[in-house]
Amino acid sequence: MKVMKIVITGGAGFIGSHLCESLLSHNHNVICIDNFITGVKENIAPLLDNPGFKLIEQDVSKYIAIEGNIDWVLHFASPASPIDYQKYPIQTLKVGSLGTHNALGLAKAKGSCFLLASTSEVYGDPLCNPQPESYWGNVNPIGPRSVYDEAKRFAEAITFAYHRVHKIDTRIARIFNTYGERMRIDDGRVVPNFIAQALKDEPLTIYGNGKQTRSFCYIRDLIDGIWKLMNTNIKEPVNLGNPNEFTIIEFAELILKLTGTKSKIDYYPLPVDDPKIRQPDITRARQKLNWTPKIQLEQGIIPTIQYFKSKVKP
Ligand code: UDP
């Protein structure tokens, strides 16, 4: 197989660092760009000694200068949890718009292929379930989640425009809730929140009545899906996620069971515009990529709990 040189923006983040690791293990050369506003140095610390790995500390909302040829630009930089992107609303809008423009500009200058990490948030609070790629979504353009949702919708639009106008070889992955080792314990999402609360015997914080649903995909399955997408010539967006859908109450009960905690459950108001249902329709990924997630929730959550055990302060 050809050894490739691959730029990963957001390479020190949760998904980005797994991608760096996986591509290096297949002998590719990786240039990780991260400004560490939500990325974590520890995620890539074991890679720093690898001669195939290079770290550039910068904000990709600013011009990206890299010497030499590049085969792929994988654009994963962005705050991605609702808590993070509401804490960094302008940075989120900038990395999704200016950052995507810069990353595409780099791909154009180098003649590289380009992959955009998009999101199920482009569907907003969806009016159909499951969500196929043909669904245009139900996004509040000025709500608290809009800084992420609209930035990613813009990112998809400019990616497609660069494909149409400049003939860039592009891919768009619409990533649904993904979990696993290296999620930040304080990123505010349901997986780290519930696990950390359970490990500390504190109440699990359910927002709303807990009947809203999410469908959780283990990181290893997602990385496999991204690799298959890179290797399949499909320009249209492709949903990547695990279609097994759970209510948040069911998820809380699973965490209670697997941790054996003494935690109870507390209820808090549902955040504004919190999607009530979410399940990927992965027909396209199954048919075109021959991809389907293999690791079911309980199987992936066990090593994730193990990981968080080392992060919870006693
Ligand atoms: N949620 C919850 N308790 C928490 C954190 C999240 O009940 O401590 C809910 C949240 O309201 C949402 C779902 O869990 O309905 C998933 O939230 P998350 O922040 O993980 O990401 P989202 O899928 O909304 O982007």
Side-chain angles (χ1 to χ4, degrees):
M1 191 180 56
K2 184 188 164 220
V3 172
M4 296 192 288
K5 192 158 144 197
I6 301 173
V7 169
I8 307 179
T9 76
F14 163 49
I15 297 178
S17 66
H18 281 277
L19 262 180
C20 290
E21 188 183 15
S22 169
L23 293 167
L24 284 169
S25 76
H26 289 92
N27 295 322
H28 298 298
N29 294 308
V30 170
I31 300 174
C32 161
I33 313 181
D34 209 296
N35 67 349
F36 298 104
I37 69 166
T38 57
V40 178
K41 290 220 161 104
E42 198 187 321
N43 286 346
I44 50 155
L47 310 180
L48 291 171
D49 290 339
N50 188 320
F53 183 78
K54 188 175 168 210
L55 170 66
I56 300 176
E57 190 164 344
Q58 86 153 79
D59 177 357
V60 291
S61 304
K62 309 260 161 56
Y63 182 83
I64 309 166
I66 293 179
E67 281 180 14
N69 71 303
I70 296 167
D71 297 287
W72 273 93
V73 176
L74 310 179
H75 184 40
F76 279 72
S78 178
S81 87
I83 294 285
D84 284 345
Y85 56 71
Q86 289 172 55
K87 186 170 167 195
Y88 300 109
I90 310 289
Q91 291 94 327
T92 302
L93 281 159
K94 285 174 79 174
V95 74
S97 54
L98 307 177
T100 307
H101 186 214
N102 288 334
L104 281 163
L106 179 68
K108 176 169 167 261
K110 303 289 183 180
S112 345
C113 305
F114 177 89
L115 185 144
L116 172 69
S118 185
T119 168
S120 53
E121 281 285 324
V122 301
Y123 302 122
D125 189 5
L127 303 177
C128 68
N129 204 40
Q131 296 84 50
E133 292 87 348
S134 54
Y135 178 53
W136 290 354
N138 179 38
V139 171
N140 173 355
I142 55 161
R145 299 174 84 105
S146 66
V147 295
Y148 185 63
D149 302 11
E150 297 293 15
K152 289 292 189 183
R153 289 170 69 98
F154 173 89
E156 289 198 7
I158 194 170
T159 299
F160 232 89
Y162 264 66
H163 167 61
R164 286 200 187 98
V165 177
H166 297 307
K167 313 291 174 225
I168 309 283
D169 191 0
T170 54
R171 309 283 187 279
I172 298 174
R174 288 189 182 150
I175 300 170
F176 283 64
N177 293 69
T178 300
Y179 69 93
E181 297 88 330
R182 303 207 196 113
M183 291 186 100
R184 273 191 7 256
I185 196 159
D186 61 349
D187 86 359
R189 284 189 273 207
V190 69
V191 173
N193 271 15
F194 283 6
I195 296 177
Q197 289 157 353
L199 293 176
K200 292 189 269 186
D201 289 325
E202 290 171 2
L204 270 55
T205 54
I206 290 190
Y207 304 157
N209 61 13
K211 292 193 179 139
Q212 71 271 34
T213 66
R214 293 295 185 274
S215 309
F216 299 100
C217 183
Y218 188 53
I219 183 69
R220 198 150 13 106
D221 277 331
L222 183 82
I223 298 296
D224 179 42
I226 288 165
W227 178 245
K228 287 193 165 141
L229 179 57
M230 288 168 71
N231 287 291
T232 309
N233 191 5
I234 171 167
K235 305 295 175 228
E236 289 75 30
V238 178
N239 287 341
L240 293 178
N242 188 321
N244 239 333
E245 187 178 2
F246 296 84
T247 66
I248 294 303
I249 293 183
E250 287 170 335
F251 182 63
E253 281 165 356
L254 179 72
I255 298 299
L256 295 179
K257 180 184 95 174
L258 293 179
T259 55
T261 177
K262 297 194 215 40
S263 300
K264 308 263 183 298
I265 290 179
D266 278 352
Y267 288 84
Y268 291 84
L270 190 68
V272 175
D273 294 337
D274 196 291
K276 283 172 269 313
I277 42 173
R278 185 182 286 159
Q279 186 202 133
D281 180 332
I282 59 163
T283 309
R284 183 174 288 170
R286 281 194 218 275
Q287 289 177 348
K288 302 267 167 85
L289 312 186
N290 194 23
W291 175 81
T292 186
K294 297 188 178 67
I295 300 157
Q296 292 315 326
L297 186 57
E298 187 158 333
Q299 204 186 341
I301 272 292
I302 291 171
T304 308
I305 292 172
Q306 269 320 108
Y307 172 79
F308 281 120
K309 274 187 184 161
S310 65
K311 303 283 161 197
V312 169
K313 292 175 193 72

